[in-house]
Amino acid sequence: MATIYVDNKPYVVNEGRNLLQVCLSLGFNLPYFCWHPALGSVGACRQCAVKQFKDEKDKRGKIVMACMTPAAEGVRIAVDDEEARQFRETVIEWLMANHPHDCPVCDEGGECHLQDMTVMTGHNYRKYRFPKRTYQNQYLGPFINHEMNRCIQCYRCVRFYQDYAGGQDLGVFAAHDRVYFGRHKDGVLENEFSGNLVELCPTGVFTDKTLKGHYTRAWDLQTAPSVCVHCGVGCNTTPGERYGLLRRIHNRFNHDVNGYFLCDRGRYGYEFVNGERRVRTPLLKRDGALGPVTRAEALTEIGKVLSGPAVLLGIGSPRASIESNFALRELVGPDRFYDGVSARERQLLSAMLSTLRAPGVHSPSLREVGEADAVFVLGENLAEVAPMIALQVRQAVYRSTVPMGERLGIPAWHDSAIREAIQGRHGPLYLATVTGDKLADVATRSWCAAPDDLARLGFAVAHCIDPTAPSVSDLSEELPGLAKEIAGALRSAQRPLIVSGPSCGSLAVVQAAANVAISLSAAGAQHAALCYDAPECNSFGPALLDGHGLDEALQAAKSGSVYAAIVLENDLYRRADRAAVDAFLEGAEQVVVIDHTVHDTTKRADVVLPAATFAEGDGTLVNNEGRAQRFVQVFKAQGDVQESWRWLGELSRTAPSNGAWQNLDHICTRIAETAPALGEIARVAPAATARFLAQRIPRQAHRYSGRTAIGAHVNVHEPALPEDPDSPMAFSMEGFPSTCSSALTSAYWAPGWNSVQALNKFQAEVGGPLRVGNAGVRLWEVAEGHDHKYFEVIPPAFQSREKEHLAVPLHHIFGSEELSVLSPSVAERAPASYVAVNFRDAEALQITDGENVQLVLDGIPYRLPVRILPDLPSGVVGLPSGLPEMSWVKLPGWGKIVKEVPA
Amino acid sequence: MLTEEIKHEIEAEAERFERKQAACIEALRIVQMHRRWVDDESVRDIASVLDMSPDEVDSVATFYNLIYRHPVGRHVIRVCASVSCWLLGYERLLDHLIQRLGIAVGETTADGRFTLLLNQCLGACDHAPALMIDQDQYQDLDVANVEAVLEHYQ
């Protein structure tokens, strides 16, 4: 700790910080642009000027940039100094000279850091009376709108895009007063984190293009704290609604999870909520066609079967909340509750879950991933399956070089100097994946191989670390050396990290990663961590409820028994073989599907009940690290749409069953009583009865406008506020805007701080955790002791076959996930289906890039264009996973490529 | 496409550095030496030789005022527009050149002979106004004596 003097008052602050950090943390309103808590200092904008004095006798002082000056013991500065204040005002006047002052038509208006800082410095009147510099804007793809005239040259965009996210196609061009931030040519911004420019840009140069399609001012949005549903990482989000439409997704800061950022799938996948494929009313099949009916009719119809002789099977879902899955389990009974994932995925998830819950293995938070100092990625193309993990791995390899700079006397926050000192060097990162990975540019070594060979490498690494781990016989070529190198890097690290997951469909890969983690723990590594990514937002949820395998349920069709099925938020055709699902749905007495979106399974249903999406309901999701997080209803959907667990509760009341919950707290209490693994679920967020100064927390900002006019075309009387039985939040601007629970805070605001940077005021130290703690509850912590039980089954080395190829799934950030691809902007970025082949195999098969071939898998031919993928191992072909036009295929699996003979 | 000769020259430069990206400026200079200016295709080609993205190469190219990203004439006139030259009337000289050549600043004559540009300070304040044509500097210029200077450049 150090004592510094600000405006002649002593303050005790953390050493190793700069003056801007400590001034903001102390609550001073010091304006800044180029500095960002996640990006560090470069001293580019000259905005955070303060006056520094040599000692208490020094009356003159000198102006310094707070962000570039260490907060060392005894430093004396003045923020409230006339000369410094004037300096800051003048700087903003320069920055504003070419700014178009177009706030009324600018999308950023009302949450603009430039507006806030301009007001803060007191620059109220414009003296510049000359023509302003203007630019041509660029087309940057479906996510980002470009308006360069507003730019104030703070360089945040390129620093994030290039330095933080590893993007290469956004740059800064020209010089002097013609500096231009954009692309070399018009075109789609390729980096998967481009959407963060919307929040990083302090003004309106980069704005959300999808929001522009249905624009609403920030202060007119109704928001609630939410969790992203487009992968298993569980990033915290703030969705915003107006007039019944979901308008945008913003980041919601969670220091332990996503910090300040989101990936583009998470930010732009939301439009499925507004999509035309939504189910808005109950549907009943009559004469072979589904048509809308009243809820009473639908419930009566289902009630007939519930009280009938048919055995009721409940199929849960990894994209439905814990509560909904549990409600289904309560209705059908634990013996007839199925987890709703394919047999292979179930096997992988249960292996991952049991490893993570075993003693001695630490499952890191996303923040901890970014703090690792040696990383070994086994099997996962992270940028495609869990982009935010990839982003943190990128930070880990950068951060682990920071000590190199510090040894030269450069403080860690001095971003430009550190990067200059390390000259592009990076910490140890080893990638072992089926095909080339986007992290390769910062990897120490990258190695592509078939899943079995990846697993063998993992097992070999574990054996190198701990000789008691099972050894791998006859390793080929370079493998023993590589395994030794990786083992050495992990052993000598303070915080080694292994990242793996289910995406290449190999149990051996998941087990090999576990062995590496166990071996590190056995070798005495104190802070070793094992991060598995999970494919869906609640993949671990149904598994923690001990669901049976979906394939067992599908067997019912063959058993000849009389059964009916309730399918919860799940398209079974994405989980299992088409013929098996067809037989199952046809054989059922009645098929009830509760879902928010029409898909192949709802089309085959007898009754469809309209479920709430994440934005229209409440629930809890368990992410890949085992963190349970609550999403709170953002708005009341029109019509009969409600949470699946509510529908299931209503069904329970019509049947002889014991689930009689009225609200979220009832069901959470019941879950905690019944499912020991989820005992903490009620602690995830305050109960619905909680009050703050005897009031609810408003979902609307205090500036929310048009409340009395919003429905005036229907009725001039102000309607009653919707009730919220599930959370202590109100659908109103009234109440106490408490920020005392981060699980109930969707937006941060402080006087003078209307942009996302208002967050500074709610952190104990800027960039650090929230004062009130971070949202979410970890369901398990690493238990004491070591579990030295290694996985023993090591697969033989991959052997390519003469006439066949091993087809493996290849994931795409845009396209592979079921819901986000329904967003038009995400769909635009999704690839068309293809089969990927490497050069040598293509040559041997005499096929060329773009040519159509037939891939025969399990006897079914798929006609696909060839895509040459140089990194793919020989004998392996890749199929894009989960694209809407591809039907379910069991992968990995052996298939045959047949060249088309021209007719 | 870069010719083999240009490619070899760039690669030879790149070998002198620990990271070949450091040869980016030299690569741009080499291309310009051969082709007088750097077109979009050359930016992409340099990027692929040096393992950079076109955006990174173009960021460097557009930063320097001596790297031309538009076609220029056989000779480039750079009129000094800095303070001393302004005090001693460079504007008269410039107006004369504009009239004489029939082009605005930033343009090239139809016959491709001259491109007219401004430059902030040529370091000849004691002999202002000054200008440069290609590699040669001329000082103490006025409307009367500039004509003879132009004659050297056909």
Side-chain angles (χ1 to χ4, degrees):
Chain A
M1 301 303 271
T3 304
I4 67 163
Y5 298 85
V6 183
D7 297 333
N8 284 322
K9 286 196 196 100
Y11 295 92
V12 178
V13 299
N14 283 330
E15 243 166 326
R17 308 291 195 268
N18 61 55
L19 289 175
L20 178 61
Q21 283 174 303
V22 303
C23 283
L24 291 172
S25 302
L26 291 171
F28 288 95
N29 283 340
L30 192 54
Y32 62 88
F33 289 111
C34 64
W35 178 83
H36 183 281
L39 301 180
S41 303
V42 289
C45 72
R46 319 314 283 172
Q47 188 60 67
C48 62
V50 293
K51 195 175 263 185
Q52 185 175 8
F53 302 92
K54 275 199 294 246
D55 50 43
E56 51 204 315
K57 290 190 194 119
D58 181 3
K59 298 284 182 250
R60 278 185 64 193
K62 60 169 182 180
I63 285 192
V64 297
M65 294 308 127
C67 74
M68 300 300 278
T69 312
E73 178 64 36
V75 162
R76 290 181 165 269
I77 55 164
V79 173
D80 183 21
D81 171 86
E82 186 50 26
E83 198 185 357
R85 198 199 56 72
Q86 268 187 16
F87 185 98
R88 297 193 292 261
E89 189 183 331
T90 311
V91 167
I92 214 150
E93 188 171 1
W94 291 331
L95 295 179
M96 295 294 283
N98 279 307
H99 189 79
H101 295 80
D102 60 343
C103 308
V105 296
C106 175
D107 288 4
E108 193 83 355
E111 51 175 348
C112 176
H113 188 58
L114 179 59
Q115 278 180 334
D116 286 351
M117 297 299 104
T118 307
V119 173
M120 190 181 287
T121 56
H123 165 60
N124 298 329
Y125 294 95
R126 205 172 355 157
K127 288 180 252 164
Y128 184 74
R129 289 280 177 270
F130 307 98
K132 296 193 179 222
R133 165 215 63 195
T134 56
Y135 293 110
Q136 300 258 324
N137 299 318
Q138 287 182 321
Y139 166 78
L140 298 177
F143 298 151
I144 303 278
N145 194 70
H146 195 215
E147 182 54 66
M148 249 315 283
N149 289 348
R150 296 177 183 142
C151 181
I152 55 159
Q153 294 85 37
C154 72
Y155 284 73
R156 263 191 197 178
C157 54
V158 285
R159 289 178 59 219
F160 170 77
Y161 198 87
Q162 296 180 352
D163 299 346
Y164 197 92
Q168 292 195 311
D169 61 329
L170 180 84
V172 47
F173 302 97
H176 314 302
D177 60 344
R178 303 277 328 158
V179 171
Y180 188 90
F181 296 85
R183 291 185 88 251
H184 163 62
K185 286 257 168 277
D186 280 42
V188 176
L189 279 178
E190 285 157 16
N191 189 272
E192 52 276 15
F193 305 100
S194 66
N196 293 300
L197 298 180
V198 170
E199 292 184 57
L200 273 159
C201 176
T203 178
V205 178
F206 300 101
T207 50
D208 184 335
K209 205 172 197 172
T210 64
L211 172 66
K212 207 172 202 52
H214 36 234
Y215 186 68
T216 298
R217 287 283 176 208
W219 64 74
D220 280 341
L221 290 170
Q222 176 165 278
T223 62
S226 195
V227 177
C228 180
V229 295
H230 301 298
C231 87
V233 173
C235 294
N236 292 200
T237 58
T238 295
E241 173 269 355
R242 176 100 172 164
Y243 293 114
L245 269 190
L246 193 58
R247 306 272 161 163
R248 74 161 180 202
I249 299 284
H250 245 211
N251 170 272
R252 179 165 66 99
F253 181 83
N254 186 326
H255 189 247
D256 285 336
V257 189
N258 47 308
Y260 291 87
F261 305 116
L262 294 176
C263 77
D264 288 355
R265 177 153 96 191
R267 188 179 296 270
Y268 295 108
Y270 71 93
E271 284 190 277
F272 78 91
V273 173
N274 307 329
E276 284 169 10
R277 279 176 51 183
R278 283 297 303 279
V279 185
R280 304 269 183 197
T281 61
L283 304 172
L284 184 64
K285 189 165 269 173
R286 283 181 181 140
D287 308 324
L290 282 168
V293 290
T294 64
R295 59 193 297 150
E297 282 174 292
L299 291 174
T300 312
E301 196 62 30
I302 300 168
K304 283 183 205 159
V305 177
L306 289 187
S307 52
V311 177
L312 193 58
L313 308 179
I315 297 175
S317 169
R319 67 165 164 84
S321 67
I322 291 277
E323 289 81 354
S324 295
N325 277 293
F326 177 79
L328 180 62
R329 192 179 88 158
E330 287 285 274
L331 180 65
V332 300
D335 294 339
R336 291 190 294 275
F337 171 68
Y338 302 89
D339 59 10
V341 296
S342 70
R344 180 160 288 172
E345 189 176 324
R346 173 185 163 77
Q347 188 186 35
L348 294 167
L349 287 173
S350 90
M352 282 157 51
L353 201 50
S354 59
T355 303
L356 292 182
R357 297 174 75 192
V361 175
H362 175 56
S363 163
S365 68
L366 192 52
R367 174 178 56 80
E368 289 170 313
V369 169
E371 290 167 357
D373 55 355
V375 186
F376 177 31
V377 179
L378 191 61
E380 299 299 284
N381 282 110
L382 289 174
E384 306 291 349
V385 295
M388 286 298 288
I389 298 182
L391 187 66
Q392 282 312 308
V393 168
R394 201 172 271 284
Q395 304 326 305
V397 297
Y398 166 66
R399 280 191 201 136
S400 47
T401 60
V402 167
M404 264 158 78
E406 285 177 320
R407 280 195 290 277
L408 297 169
I410 307 169
W413 46 260
H414 201 317
D415 189 61
S416 56
I418 294 267
R419 285 185 197 272
E420 201 61 47
I422 62 178
Q423 285 290 306
R425 283 186 281 257
H426 38 72
L429 167 64
Y430 293 89
L431 300 175
T433 48
V434 175
T435 181
D437 191 80
K438 285 190 175 149
L439 285 168
D441 63 317
V442 289
T444 317
R445 295 276 290 274
S446 303
W447 187 64
C448 293
D452 281 351
D453 287 344
L454 297 177
R456 286 166 64 82
L457 173 68
F459 284 116
V461 170
H463 179 72
C464 287
I465 294 170
D466 176 12
T468 67
S471 67
V472 188
S473 54
D474 50 274
L475 278 175
S476 62
E477 298 164 33
E478 80 268 52
L479 275 195
L482 181 60
K484 221 169 154 187
E485 187 183 333
I486 298 171
L490 294 174
R491 280 294 311 260
S492 52
Q494 298 290 313
R495 296 172 304 279
L497 169 71
I498 297 98
V499 186
S500 187
S503 78
C504 59
S506 161
L507 181 63
V509 164
V510 165
Q511 293 180 339
N515 271 19
V516 181
I518 297 168
S519 70
L520 281 168
S521 160
Q526 294 288 317
H527 303 287
L530 171 63
C531 172
Y532 284 126
D533 65 62
E536 285 166 89
C537 61
N538 197 21
S539 280
F540 285 154
L544 289 167
L545 287 168
D546 301 321
H548 300 282
L550 173 62
D551 287 29
E552 288 174 50
L554 298 185
Q555 291 300 322
K558 293 181 192 153
S559 68
S561 63
V562 181
Y563 65 94
I566 299 185
V567 181
L568 170 70
E569 301 184 33
N570 206 337
D571 179 6
L572 303 182
Y573 290 99
R574 287 178 70 90
R575 311 286 179 182
D577 177 53
R578 180 157 283 270
V581 177
D582 277 346
F584 173 71
L585 296 178
E586 269 161 35
E589 196 84 339
Q590 187 188 51
V591 176
V592 179
V593 179
I594 311 177
D595 208 342
H596 44 69
T597 303
V598 170
H599 44 65
D600 283 1
T601 308
T602 58
K603 287 175 191 159
R604 308 292 296 269
D606 298 299
V607 189
V608 181
L609 296 176
T613 62
F614 71 95
E616 300 147 341
D618 296 75
T620 310
L621 304 171
V622 180
N623 79 349
N624 68 317
E625 65 166 302
R627 180 183 297 268
Q629 302 187 102
R630 179 71 44 83
F631 59 92
V632 178
Q633 185 174 32
V634 179
F635 65 107
K636 289 267 183 202
Q638 297 293 311
D640 296 313
V641 172
Q642 62 180 1
E643 295 96 337
S644 299
W645 54 263
R646 232 183 202 107
W647 281 118
L648 289 159
E650 285 185 32
L651 291 178
S652 301
R653 285 190 285 281
T654 63
S657 168
N658 49 6
W661 48 84
Q662 302 289 335
N663 65 29
L664 192 77
D665 290 333
H666 293 163
I667 191 166
C668 284
T669 311
R670 180 92 185 111
I671 294 172
E673 287 164 9
T674 335
L678 293 160
E680 300 288 313
I681 192 164
R683 279 208 309 122
V684 172
T689 48
R691 291 295 178 268
F692 306 86
L693 293 187
Q695 295 173 81
R696 285 176 177 266
I697 297 175
R699 281 179 172 83
Q700 299 164 358
H702 54 295
R703 290 168 177 158
Y704 192 84
S705 68
R707 165 164 150 176
T708 50
I710 213 163
H713 60 299
V714 181
N715 186 341
V716 292
H717 298 290
E718 199 176 317
L721 293 180
E723 305 241 326
D724 184 354
D726 303 316
S727 86
M729 297 187 78
F731 295 96
S732 166
M733 54 205 284
E734 282 148 358
F736 180 62
S738 167
T739 50
C740 65
S741 164
S742 50
L744 294 177
T745 308
S746 56
Y748 292 91
W749 179 88
W753 296 78
N754 301 291
S755 78
V756 288
Q757 311 275 322
L759 185 66
N760 291 342
K761 299 280 181 194
F762 299 87
Q763 292 163 318
E765 182 178 24
V766 287
L770 293 164
R771 267 196 217 99
V772 295
N774 302 308
V777 172
R778 278 169 66 99
L779 294 177
W780 60 82
E781 287 301 340
V782 52
E784 285 298 315
H786 299 296
D787 187 350
H788 288 197
K789 261 183 276 154
Y790 286 108
F791 290 102
E792 302 279 349
V793 185
I794 298 172
F798 173 73
Q799 297 287 333
S800 57
R801 295 186 186 171
E802 186 85 9
K803 300 265 187 226
E804 284 186 315
H805 291 82
L806 181 70
V808 296
L810 297 182
H811 296 263
H812 289 275
I813 172 175
F814 305 119
S816 292
E817 194 266 330
E818 183 183 3
L819 300 178
S820 57
V821 79
L822 301 174
S823 275
S825 58
V826 170
E828 202 179 317
R829 296 288 308 276
S833 57
Y834 62 87
V835 55
V837 185
N838 85 1
F839 278 121
R840 289 178 299 276
D841 290 354
E843 248 174 53
L845 290 160
Q846 296 182 322
I847 51 177
T848 53
D849 201 44
E851 175 182 344
N852 280 317
V853 294
Q854 278 202 350
L855 174 68
V856 186
L857 273 169
D858 280 344
I860 303 165
Y862 300 88
R863 188 167 183 268
L864 296 162
V866 172
R867 185 191 277 192
I868 304 285
L869 215 55
D871 299 322
L872 213 55
S874 273
V876 174
V877 296
L879 273 185
S881 166
L883 295 190
E885 70 266 26
M886 297 279 297
S887 54
W888 186 84
V889 203
K890 188 175 180 184
L891 294 176
W894 289 94
K896 200 170 166 185
I897 290 188
V898 186
K899 190 176 162 66
E900 278 196 349
V901 186
Chain B
M1 276 287 287
L2 298 180
T3 61
E4 283 304 306
E5 186 193 355
I6 296 180
K7 223 169 168 175
H8 286 314
E9 282 183 53
I10 295 176
E11 278 161 359
E13 277 300 329
E15 274 172 25
R16 298 175 39 217
F17 299 101
E18 193 183 322
R19 300 171 68 214
K20 58 182 175 177
Q21 288 83 346
C24 180
I25 304 172
E26 278 306 301
L28 290 162
R29 193 188 59 79
I30 290 166
V31 169
Q32 183 160 301
M33 215 167 61
H34 287 269
R35 298 180 170 172
R36 269 199 264 156
W37 69 292
V38 183
D39 63 352
D40 288 357
E41 195 189 342
S42 302
V43 167
R44 286 194 291 272
D45 292 341
I46 291 172
S48 78
V49 174
L50 298 179
D51 280 346
M52 298 170 78
S53 72
D55 306 76
E56 288 167 325
V57 174
D58 211 7
S59 293
V60 177
T62 54
F63 179 80
Y64 291 102
N65 63 338
L66 293 177
I67 297 291
Y68 305 130
R69 288 285 280 111
H70 288 282
V72 292
R74 293 194 295 283
H75 307 290
V76 179
I77 307 173
R78 316 179 68 85
V79 179
C80 181
S82 201
V83 174
S84 304
C85 290
W86 174 69
L87 284 170
L88 290 165
Y90 91 83
E91 284 164 317
R92 276 198 306 281
L93 179 67
L94 182 66
D95 286 345
H96 173 75
L97 287 173
I98 288 170
Q99 294 242 316
R100 162 73 179 69
L101 301 174
I103 51 172
V105 173
E107 290 180 352
T108 302
T109 53
D111 59 0
R113 184 176 163 206
F114 286 117
T115 295
L116 182 61
L117 297 175
L118 292 181
N119 200 90
Q120 294 305 324
C121 200
L122 294 171
C125 298
D126 50 339
H127 291 283
L131 60 71
M132 265 183 99
I133 302 183
D134 299 342
Q135 306 292 317
D136 315 317
Q137 196 181 78
Y138 296 93
Q139 304 176 338
D140 302 312
L141 291 169
D142 55 36
V143 173
N145 62 13
V146 76
E147 195 57 36
V149 170
L150 295 184
E151 281 308 308
H152 297 303
Y153 301 91
Q154 291 305 318

